[in-house]
Amino acid sequence: MNQNRLSLFLCAALISTSAAAAIPTYDFKIVHSYPHDAQAFTQGLLYRDGFLYESTGLNGKSTIRKVQLETGKVLQSRDIPAQYFGEGMTDWNDTLVSITWRSQTGFVFDLKTFEPKNEFAYPGEGWGLAQNGKELVLSDGSSTLRFLDPKTFLEVRRVKVTADGIAVDQLNELEVVGDEIFANIWQTNTIARIDQKTGKITGWIDLGKLYAEAGKGPAADNVLNGIAYDAAKKRLFVTGKLWPKLYEIKLVPRH
């Protein structure tokens, strides 16, 4: 599905009010806004033990970092070598696992020290990365999500993401929320809620109104990208590339 077809498909899906079986759409309420580094080209985001962990992109500017939620202050950071374009990141036990865009290379860092512990290879591009407690979940910009063994980094299964039987690509940053995977769809205002087992989209989250609140207009360099979930307190956080704010939001079904 090319970008124009994808945009038309999403528009139709989000405004559909026809059948009761239609995929539901969710709006949002802002619970709280927090400062966010406006120079951070956000690629991956996660919440753990009271802190945010974030990966940023662009060659020569890619980092992994530990961030204080309340202030947006970067407490700890490590540069990714300049030849790599950093992409998604997740945690696994006492490590952080990050991927790169087109280099087919991933890195494993110590969670506390950020010291490198391992590297691994995977075929194709790397976009988003998350984990469900058993597997790592990798997106590559296509309509396919790959599930990897967190010890060997080998693929163990994959699912094709579909909405009403139509494949949906451009899946980017990922976050596991309960039994679902939330995925930013690149260059749109939309997060897809995806069933992990079937790949079927169970809901659309329309975050278009966040752009104005963040003082950003939709553009290739400042799109929504960054989803984190605090499972203990059931808090959902979102931000975008080069956004000056990060938001805790509550989902509201659209009627």
Side-chain angles (χ1 to χ4, degrees):
M1 186 181 291
N2 64 33
Q3 188 61 46
N4 290 334
R5 287 180 59 203
L6 175 64
S7 298
L8 289 171
F9 175 78
L10 288 173
C11 287
L14 290 170
I15 65 176
S16 174
T17 57
S18 53
I23 297 172
T25 298
Y26 296 84
D27 293 309
F28 66 93
K29 290 183 178 178
I30 296 175
V31 178
H32 204 289
S33 64
Y34 302 92
H36 179 251
D37 180 5
Q39 302 302 311
F41 198 79
T42 304
Q43 301 286 50
L45 191 70
L46 66 99
Y47 179 91
R48 175 165 169 163
D49 300 329
F51 298 97
L52 292 170
Y53 291 85
E54 184 173 16
S55 59
T56 67
L58 300 176
N59 291 95
K61 295 184 179 180
S62 297
T63 65
I64 61 168
R65 48 178 67 182
K66 180 179 181 179
V67 179
Q68 189 173 53
L69 170 63
E70 295 77 11
T71 66
K73 181 179 179 181
V74 177
L75 303 175
Q76 191 174 351
S77 179
R78 185 178 186 92
D79 293 339
I80 302 295
Q83 68 266 35
Y84 297 107
F85 190 118
E87 285 282 349
M89 181 178 70
T90 192
D91 63 324
W92 184 259
N93 294 333
D94 59 352
T95 67
L96 293 171
V97 184
S98 72
I99 54 176
T100 56
W101 183 21
R102 290 177 168 170
S103 303
Q104 301 183 340
T105 302
F107 300 99
V108 181
F109 300 94
D110 184 272
L111 179 68
K112 291 184 178 180
T113 66
F114 283 13
E115 288 296 315
K117 297 184 68 174
N118 193 13
E119 292 186 18
F120 61 96
Y122 52 88
E125 295 185 358
W127 285 39
L129 193 68
Q131 57 100 346
N132 61 14
K134 296 180 180 180
E135 305 152 310
L136 305 181
V137 191
L138 183 144
S139 65
D140 58 13
S142 72
S143 59
T144 297
L145 293 177
R146 292 184 257 167
F147 293 77
L148 311 181
D149 184 312
K151 294 182 180 179
T152 65
F153 303 105
L154 298 177
E155 182 179 322
V156 294
R157 65 185 179 101
R158 59 173 56 192
V159 298
K160 180 175 285 294
V161 176
T162 61
D164 294 327
I166 300 173
V168 176
D169 60 10
Q170 306 297 307
L171 303 174
N172 202 0
E173 218 274 296
L174 306 175
E175 180 74 9
V176 173
V177 180
D179 294 329
E180 297 178 316
I181 297 170
F182 283 24
N184 276 121
I185 300 181
W186 185 52
Q187 290 190 326
T188 76
N189 306 327
T190 308
I191 291 175
R193 301 177 64 165
I194 304 165
D195 184 290
Q196 289 194 59
K197 294 182 179 179
T198 66
K200 292 182 179 180
I201 291 177
T202 60
W204 303 107
I205 304 171
D206 183 0
L207 297 181
K209 294 179 181 178
L210 265 186
Y211 281 91
E213 215 289 334
K216 291 288 185 180
D221 284 343
N222 58 28
V223 293
L224 281 160
N225 209 46
I227 312 168
Y229 186 61
D230 174 7
K233 297 183 179 179
K234 300 187 184 305
R235 295 188 295 173
L236 181 64
F237 303 99
V238 295
T239 190
K241 299 179 182 182
L242 309 176
W243 280 28
K245 294 181 181 179
L246 176 142
Y247 299 94
E248 178 189 344
I249 62 171
K250 181 179 180 180
L251 302 185
V252 181
R254 180 180 294 177
H255 299 292

